[in-house]
């Protein structure tokens, strides 16, 4: 399976701390995207990183991509209560298929 | 209203019944997708469509039928619903250049098959 796997499955941190989530994959990709899903809602796109990019930033989000290790990480700095959600990586493979991982459930503690 | 909508939002049906989930987008995106989300499995692609009258299977297509006669609509039909099809279904749309751009997701349809 080309499914991206997120790690950890669940993460609880104190408000203000940084949260790091990882995504691994098995075959070559065109790009990798991160999405957020609040409870009971649809997914919302956060950031896209192409296979020839190593790092991208968007506000408090930082995404890295290591194609040699077939992995990506999402860093959320200075976490807030509103960041409590599930986070998914989605890989576009060379076959143009998009595969979502199982997600990381992030809980920000007050 | 602009965006992507799904109907119904909640549906309870009996085993063996046919049920159709509707998806409508106002952006004229070429690509549309149907996913199901189940605990422990994340999102799994059921079918997708690259344009009107062009559809292709995803990871879990069995038991589902799609059509796309108009760019803005992408209905998903369960021909004979089974309990294993109890799930939350998400529709999404996207454009594509060299690679896919971001997907826009609908609010989801929670389907229960009894």
């Amino acid at each position: 399976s080309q499914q991206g796997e997120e790690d950890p499955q669940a993460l609880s941190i104190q408000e203000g701390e940084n949260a790091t989530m990882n995504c691994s994959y098995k075959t070559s990709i065109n790009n990798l995207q991160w999405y957020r899903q609040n409870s009971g809602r649809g997914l919302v796109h956060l950031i896209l990183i192409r296979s020839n990019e190593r790092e991208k930033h968007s506000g408090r989000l930082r995404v890295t991509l290591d194609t040699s290790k077939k992995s990506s990480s999402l860093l959320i700095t200075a976490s807030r209560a509103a960041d409590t959600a599930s986070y998914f990586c989605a890989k576009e493979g060379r076959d143009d298929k998009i595969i979502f991982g199982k997600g990381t459930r992030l809980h920000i503690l007050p | 209203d602009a965006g992507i909508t799904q109907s119904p939002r909640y549906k309870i049906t009996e085993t063996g019944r046919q049920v159709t989930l509707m998806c409508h987008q106002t952006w004229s995106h070429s690509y549309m997708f149907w996913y199901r989300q189940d605990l422990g499995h994340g999102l799994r692609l059921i079918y997708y469509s690259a344009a009107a009258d062009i559809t292709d299977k995803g990871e879990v297509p069995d038991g589902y039928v799609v059509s796309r006669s108009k760019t803005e609509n992408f209905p998903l039909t369960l021909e004979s619903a089974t309990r294993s099809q109890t799930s939350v279904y998400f529709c999404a749309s996207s454009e594509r250049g060299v690679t896919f751009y971001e997907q826009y997701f609908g609010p989801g349809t929670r389907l229960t098959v009894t």
Side-chain angles (χ1 to χ4, degrees), chain A residues 5 34 37-39 47 56 58 69 78 80 83 94 101:
Chain A
E5 299 295 339
W34 285 91
Q37 183 181 33
N38 291 95
S39 182
I47 198 164
K56 285 191 81 170
S58 177
K69 295 181 179 178
R80 305 168 182 170
D83 295 328
R94 297 292 189 206

Side-chain angles (χ1 to χ4, degrees), chain A residues 3 30-31 33 35 37 40-43 45 48 50 88 92 96-98 100-102, chain B residues 9 33 35 37 40-43 45 48 57 90 96 99-103 105-107:
Chain A
Q3 191 173 49
N30 291 333
N31 72 51
Q33 302 183 35
Y35 288 80
Q37 183 181 33
R41 302 287 186 92
L43 279 71
H45 181 264
L48 180 154
R50 302 189 189 284
F88 295 86
E92 179 188 337
D96 299 338
K97 294 285 177 65
I98 299 172
F100 280 81
K102 296 180 181 180
Chain B
R9 294 293 314 279
F33 309 83
Y35 295 92
Q37 185 174 33
H41 290 281
L43 269 78
L45 181 65
Y48 68 102
K57 295 178 180 179
F90 288 98
R96 189 173 191 278
T99 66
F100 277 105
Y101 303 140
E102 63 186 276
Q103 293 189 44
F105 281 79

Side-chain angles (χ1 to χ4, degrees), chain A:
Chain A
S1 169
Q2 297 182 64
Q3 191 173 49
E5 299 295 339
E6 285 92 340
D7 171 58
Q9 290 186 334
L11 177 63
S12 293
I13 61 172
Q14 294 293 138
E15 190 169 9
E17 294 181 339
N18 296 341
T20 300
M21 290 157 270
N22 303 295
C23 172
S24 62
Y25 55 93
K26 297 180 181 178
T27 58
S28 296
I29 60 171
N30 291 333
N31 72 51
L32 188 144
Q33 302 183 35
W34 285 91
Y35 288 80
R36 183 187 73 232
Q37 183 181 33
N38 291 95
S39 182
R41 302 287 186 92
L43 279 71
V44 174
H45 181 264
L46 295 176
I47 198 164
L48 180 154
I49 188 164
R50 302 189 189 284
S51 59
N52 61 353
E53 297 176 313
R54 292 297 167 258
E55 186 170 313
K56 285 191 81 170
H57 297 256
S58 177
R60 293 184 296 112
L61 306 179
R62 172 177 167 249
V63 168
T64 60
L65 180 65
D66 187 335
T67 52
S68 66
K69 295 181 179 178
K70 292 186 169 57
S71 67
S72 173
S73 66
L74 171 67
L75 168 68
I76 303 174
T77 60
S79 63
R80 305 168 182 170
D83 295 328
T84 293
S86 291
Y87 292 82
F88 295 86
C89 69
K91 321 169 341 347
E92 179 188 337
R94 297 292 189 206
D95 59 358
D96 299 338
K97 294 285 177 65
I98 299 172
I99 304 293
F100 280 81
K102 296 180 181 180
T104 292
R105 295 187 309 279
L106 175 64
H107 187 207
I108 307 301
L109 303 168

